[in-house]
């Protein structure tokens, strides 16, 4: 969620790793996914950005550990 309140929905359904990380991520429990969005083109990057996570499977235990964001442009 941008400082201006614009929402970029990055995943609206459960995602499962393909290959060696299995259903719950790698050996350290991390899901190595990288998301991208062009929804904020033309919007200033300065300010406080927020992430909102919703647990779609409350019967499964999970921990949200961290996130990062990168900006490209002028």
């Amino acid at each position: 969620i941008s400082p201006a309140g614009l929402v970029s929905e990055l995943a609206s359904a459960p995602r499962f790793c393909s290959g060696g990380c299995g259903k719950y991520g790698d050996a350290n429990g991390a899901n190595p996914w990288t998301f991208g969005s062009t929804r904020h083109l033309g919007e200033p990057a300065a300010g406080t950005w927020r992430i909102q996570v919703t647990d779609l499977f409350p019967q499964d235990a999970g921990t949200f550990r961290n996130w990062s964001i990168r900006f490209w442009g002028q």
Side-chain angles (χ1 to χ4, degrees):
I1 305 169
S2 75
L6 186 63
V7 175
S8 184
E9 187 172 310
L10 301 177
S12 59
R15 293 177 57 134
F16 298 98
C17 282
S18 60
C21 62
K23 180 178 176 185
Y24 297 107
D26 66 14
N28 298 316
N31 291 316
W33 299 319
T34 300
F35 297 95
S37 176
T38 58
R39 179 144 172 93
H40 304 280
L41 288 174
E43 186 175 1
T48 301
W49 288 74
R50 298 180 297 126
I51 187 166
Q52 179 177 326
V53 178
T54 303
D55 185 353
L56 298 177
F57 293 101
Q59 69 276 14
D60 293 336
T63 302
F64 185 81
R65 294 191 178 135
N66 62 54
W67 71 288
S68 63
I69 189 169
R70 290 186 206 169
F71 299 97
W72 283 274
Q74 300 177 350

